Amino acid sequence: MGKALVIVDVQNDFCEGGSLGVDGGSRTATDISVFAGNNPYDLVVATRDSHIDPGEHFSDEPDYVDSWPPHCRVGTTGQHLHDNLDVALDAIVDKGFYAACYSGFEGEDSWGRTLDELLKLRGITDLDVVGIATDYCVKQTALDAVRLGYSTTVLLDLTAAVNPNNLDQVRADLDAQGVTVR
Ligand code: VGL
């Protein structure tokens, strides 16, 4: 068995000062870095939201559920990983060039390998999922992971939510599908 750390969307636009900044985003980046320094994994992968023209995912009047202010545009610093994320990454997976993509499993690395392919190549069976946002991309990545057969844990203290009021529901949804929440 192998165990991977999947770091979801710890990007400038999702941290304080970004176009879709989430409270606690930059602190989460720091905390993940400390955690990763103290806890060895067989593989460490970061995902990035990477938009070119994601259609109705962007809106001038966003509802913050299905539509959002423009964020993480390819070629802008908003799309870059946050400076506080100081982790040796084995791979980066980009998602969402032309459509909304909440799950890291919908992305590919620069060789065109999906996250699932990358994990299988390295014999990974277990995943810890951390990052931003708890109630969107972290949740969807973890749900896809269990669907694909990975033993999956979300480390809640190493996540930041768009809407902290969603957290009870997120816990319930993850728990119902067999994701461990710690
Ligand atoms: C995300 C809202 C819109 C996320 C991405 O990374 O959780 N949230 N796009």
Side-chain angles (χ1 to χ4, degrees), residues 3-7 32 35-36 41 43-46 128-130 155:
K3 189 165 183 172
L5 180 65
V6 177
I7 303 171
I32 291 170
F35 175 81
Y41 283 85
L43 189 73
V44 181
V45 183
D128 284 345
V129 183
V130 300
L155 305 177

Side-chain angles (χ1 to χ4, degrees), residues 9-20:
D9 296 7
V10 179
Q11 294 165 269
N12 289 326
D13 269 347
F14 293 133
C15 294
E16 293 84 347
S19 66
L20 187 37

Side-chain angles (χ1 to χ4, degrees), residues 8 53 87-88 121 131 133 135:
V8 176
D53 180 6
V87 177
L121 269 174
D135 36 349

Side-chain angles (χ1 to χ4, degrees), residues 48-54 94-101 106-107:
R48 292 188 303 199
D49 220 22
S50 295
H51 294 309
I52 297 171
D53 180 6
D94 287 306
K95 60 187 173 63
F97 291 142
Y98 294 104
C101 267
E106 294 178 74

Side-chain angles (χ1 to χ4, degrees), residues 8-11 14 20 22 47 49 51 57-58 64-65 67-69 71-72 95 100-102 132-139 160 162:
V8 176
D9 296 7
V10 179
Q11 294 165 269
F14 293 133
L20 187 37
V22 159
T47 70
D49 220 22
H51 294 309
H57 186 59
F58 283 176
Y64 290 86
V65 177
S67 60
W68 307 90
H71 57 275
C72 299
K95 60 187 173 63
C101 267
Y102 294 99
I132 307 172
T134 327
D135 36 349
Y136 291 92
C137 290
V138 170
K139 174 183 165 183
V162 167

Side-chain angles (χ1 to χ4, degrees), residues 1-169:
M1 89 157 226
K3 189 165 183 172
L5 180 65
V6 177
I7 303 171
V8 176
D9 296 7
V10 179
Q11 294 165 269
N12 289 326
D13 269 347
F14 293 133
C15 294
E16 293 84 347
S19 66
L20 187 37
V22 159
D23 282 346
S26 58
R27 175 196 48 77
T28 297
T30 303
D31 291 350
I32 291 170
S33 305
V34 172
F35 175 81
N38 292 330
N39 293 275
Y41 283 85
D42 300 303
L43 189 73
V44 181
V45 183
T47 70
R48 292 188 303 199
D49 220 22
S50 295
H51 294 309
I52 297 171
D53 180 6
E56 292 174 2
H57 186 59
F58 283 176
S59 172
D60 295 334
E61 291 173 16
D63 65 8
Y64 290 86
V65 177
D66 295 312
S67 60
W68 307 90
H71 57 275
C72 299
R73 287 184 188 271
V74 172
T76 69
T77 53
Q79 187 257 355
H80 295 175
L81 295 172
H82 194 277
D83 276 347
N84 292 5
L85 189 68
D86 183 13
V87 177
L89 298 172
D90 296 300
I92 296 178
V93 167
D94 287 306
K95 60 187 173 63
F97 291 142
Y98 294 104
C101 267
Y102 294 99
S103 166
F105 285 92
E106 294 178 74
E108 292 182 349
D109 71 3
S110 45
W111 283 266
R113 292 178 294 215
T114 65
L115 179 55
D116 188 40
E117 286 168 346
L118 272 168
L119 298 171
K120 294 224 158 77
L121 269 174
R122 298 293 194 96
I124 301 298
T125 51
D126 293 44
L127 300 185
D128 284 345
V129 183
V130 300
I132 307 172
T134 327
D135 36 349
Y136 291 92
C137 290
V138 170
K139 174 183 165 183
Q140 294 307 328
T141 300
L143 289 176
D144 270 355
V146 276
R147 262 182 231 124
L148 289 163
Y150 296 97
S151 175
T152 307
T153 302
V154 170
L155 305 177
L156 217 51
D157 286 351
L158 299 178
T159 71
V162 167
N163 184 352
N165 294 330
N166 288 337
L167 285 179
D168 285 346
Q169 188 63 50

